[in-house]
Amino acid sequence: AVLVRTKDQANAISQFLAFSEMPFLSSESLNLSHSKQVKFLIALLRLVLDENQLEHRLVILEFLKIKYGKDQDYHDFVSAYLRMPLQNVFDLFKIHFNFSKFKSSPIYEAVERAFYSFEMSGVFDAHLQSFLDYVFEFSQQKQNDFLSFILNWDQQGASLYVSTPRGIDAVQVLTIHKSKGLEFPVVIVP
């Protein structure tokens, strides 16, 4: 384990470990709200409430650019599609996703539909799985509409983390505060 005093130090150590291709875990890397796929799904859910929110449309386009606009300049890609109706953007990239059906579906079914339509099911991702579990648990409540989910996410999303199994073979990066009560065979304090 690497113990640090601040989150900034944890981020710097984490970036170095990632650059060195060394497996590591940190609370920041396990936060659901830091996953690109989760950000994309949340932005899609937010656009159900107001399809014209440019901030959330930008998140959608940044996600789509990774797969469909690799060769295009970022600014050109975003400016070409930012104000285009969402369904037209999806159709243009031949994504089999019906935004109207998405909007009229129950919350879990809608998220699952997006999960498969945007081909997120190909590789196991702990962030996505934890997010799907969270959406499923939320959908079992009485109020499981899009607005209620987004309000709930705004309150709790930043505090949701992927749970990690004990004994995983990776360097753990954490603040001294979060390490209280934990035991490691080797500890580095930079």
Side-chain angles (χ1 to χ4, degrees):
V2 178
L3 302 183
V4 294
R5 286 189 175 87
T6 66
K7 286 184 180 181
D8 289 339
Q9 291 172 333
N11 287 335
I13 298 284
S14 296
Q15 286 176 0
F16 174 77
L17 292 173
F19 179 76
S20 303
E21 297 182 7
M22 187 173 292
F24 72 94
L25 294 173
S26 74
S27 61
E28 292 301 310
S29 69
L30 297 175
N31 189 302
L32 291 189
S33 63
H34 290 141
S35 162
K36 287 180 184 178
Q37 291 92 342
V38 171
K39 286 180 183 179
F40 170 79
L41 291 170
I42 291 294
L44 204 55
L45 292 169
R46 288 182 189 280
L47 288 173
V48 167
L49 304 176
D50 183 1
E51 195 174 329
N52 296 316
Q53 284 290 321
L54 296 180
E55 174 186 352
H56 306 306
R57 294 173 67 86
L58 184 61
V59 173
I60 300 295
L61 290 175
E62 288 173 344
F63 181 83
L64 294 176
K65 185 182 181 323
I66 294 167
K67 185 170 184 177
Y68 302 102
K70 290 179 184 176
D71 299 331
Q72 273 186 285
D73 175 65
Y74 175 84
H75 178 66
D76 293 342
F77 184 86
V78 169
S79 62
Y81 306 113
L82 187 62
R83 297 192 187 278
M84 185 182 287
L86 274 180
Q87 189 60 57
N88 292 358
V89 174
F90 301 145
D91 293 343
L92 188 69
F93 294 121
K94 296 180 175 49
I95 300 168
H96 301 291
F97 182 74
N98 186 322
F99 191 62
S100 295
K101 264 189 182 176
F102 177 80
K103 293 192 295 189
S104 63
S105 298
I107 187 82
Y108 184 76
E109 187 179 312
V111 170
E112 195 172 52
R113 182 184 308 263
F115 177 77
Y116 288 109
S117 295
F118 292 97
E119 300 174 358
M120 296 180 192
S121 63
V123 178
F124 177 78
D125 182 283
H127 290 88
L128 274 176
Q129 190 58 53
S130 295
F131 181 70
L132 286 173
D133 291 344
Y134 178 73
V135 174
F136 179 75
E137 287 174 23
F138 183 85
S139 72
Q140 301 304 302
Q141 299 175 9
K142 289 181 184 173
Q143 289 185 325
N144 66 356
D145 59 289
F146 290 93
L147 178 60
S148 298
F149 179 80
I150 291 299
L151 291 173
N152 182 275
W153 177 261
D154 287 345
Q155 289 178 341
Q156 297 182 9
S159 63
L160 297 174
Y161 293 87
V162 174
S163 57
T164 56
R166 287 271 183 228
I168 193 163
D169 190 22
V171 176
Q172 290 195 28
V173 180
L174 25 95
T175 61
I176 293 171
H177 175 74
K178 288 191 178 186
S179 70
K180 290 180 182 170
L182 299 177
E183 222 175 271
F184 300 100
V186 177
V187 176
I188 299 171
V189 181

